[in-house]
Amino acid sequence: MDTLYQALIAPFTEFEFMRRALAGVLALALGGAPIGVFLMLRRMSLAGDAMAHAILPGAAVGFLLSGLNLFAMTFGGLIAGFAVAILSGVVSRATELKEDASLAAFYLVSLALGVTIVSMKGSNIDLLHVLFGNILAMDDQTLLVIAFNATLTLLVLAVIFRPLVIECVDPVFLRSVSRSGGPAHLIFLALVVINLVNGFHALGTLLAVGLMILPAGIARFWSRDITGMILIAVASAMVSGYAGLVLSFQSKVPSGPAIILMAALIYLFSVLFGSAGGILRRLFPGRHLEA
């Protein structure tokens, strides 16, 4: 029992940086996991990944001007994310290029540009911090920003929840009965960018989308109901964050990749054993009709 306490609880009772990291990952789970569910339902998971890379040039410009300054990098990331989302939409509507191809082009350019800008001023350590994050080094200001953005996300989602759900199920019906679909979509994209910037501070630009998409995929194998999926996604993101921090503390695995690896393990378990479409469920379905 004492060994379990030392392994699973003691790191958080004895070290303030671990408590701060745990609070940060819980806030990321609360804000990001519901967004991930809607990204998955709207078939925008890869678009979310592209937008995660798109915030890098803005954050890199903030780094170039102010170093590892929280507000400069946050502001730069938000501007870059919104700019890429808008520009990719304009290009896809003004040309024959599909939106996913347009996003892919912008994301590749953004990634290359961001890495170049960081490399111009910073060291390899700075570049690794920007690309992969360091949640164990999170300060109070960063934690407050993440918590504020998570709270804002939940409040705004509560307001636009109904049109988002209807658009996922029947967008044609929504357009026929209401004009709220367009504004709700734009607000949703803004929430995606905000939560990607949140994830960027903790997990870096390469892993920011991981705590949004993997929990959503996990939830899809356990529930068909949107509310159920959101609850499962949030819970699995929290468990992944906690387990990843413990793994990182007890080993030499970096904290960001450790969190995503824990989420990946839960995802693989869900693929195999999930009650709503898991492989074993499909191979050995229960009897639907009883005599």
Side-chain angles (χ1 to χ4, degrees), residues 118-119 122-130:
V118 174
S119 301
S123 64
N124 288 337
I125 302 254
D126 293 324
L127 183 60
L128 287 174
H129 178 83
V130 169

Side-chain angles (χ1 to χ4, degrees), residues 211-254:
L211 213 56
M212 295 167 62
I213 299 303
L214 280 172
I218 292 167
R220 183 63 181 80
F221 285 103
W222 295 100
S223 177
R224 302 289 189 189
D225 174 70
I226 292 180
T227 303
M229 280 193 282
I230 289 174
L231 293 175
I232 293 170
V234 169
S236 60
M238 289 181 173
V239 171
S240 302
Y242 168 78
L245 290 175
V246 171
L247 173 63
S248 178
F249 184 84
Q250 301 293 348
S251 67
K252 294 182 179 180
V253 179

Side-chain angles (χ1 to χ4, degrees), residues 40 85 163 195:
M40 178 189 66
N195 281 274

Side-chain angles (χ1 to χ4, degrees), residues 26-42 150 153-154 157-158 161 164 168 188 191-192 195 211-213 215-216 219 226-227 229-238:
L26 293 179
L28 287 174
L30 282 170
I35 296 294
V37 169
F38 283 108
L39 281 173
M40 178 189 66
L41 292 175
R42 295 157 73 95
T153 297
L154 292 176
L157 271 182
F161 186 79
L164 276 183
C168 290
F188 174 72
L191 292 179
V192 172
N195 281 274
L211 213 56
M212 295 167 62
I213 299 303
I226 292 180
T227 303
M229 280 193 282
I230 289 174
L231 293 175
I232 293 170
V234 169
S236 60
M238 289 181 173

Side-chain angles (χ1 to χ4, degrees), residues 23 35 79 93 125 155 160 163 175 183 193 198 205 248 268 279:
I35 296 294
I79 291 176
R93 283 162 178 76
I125 302 254
L155 292 174
I160 64 171
R175 285 195 294 269
V193 174
N198 251 12
T205 187
S248 178
L268 290 176
I279 291 175

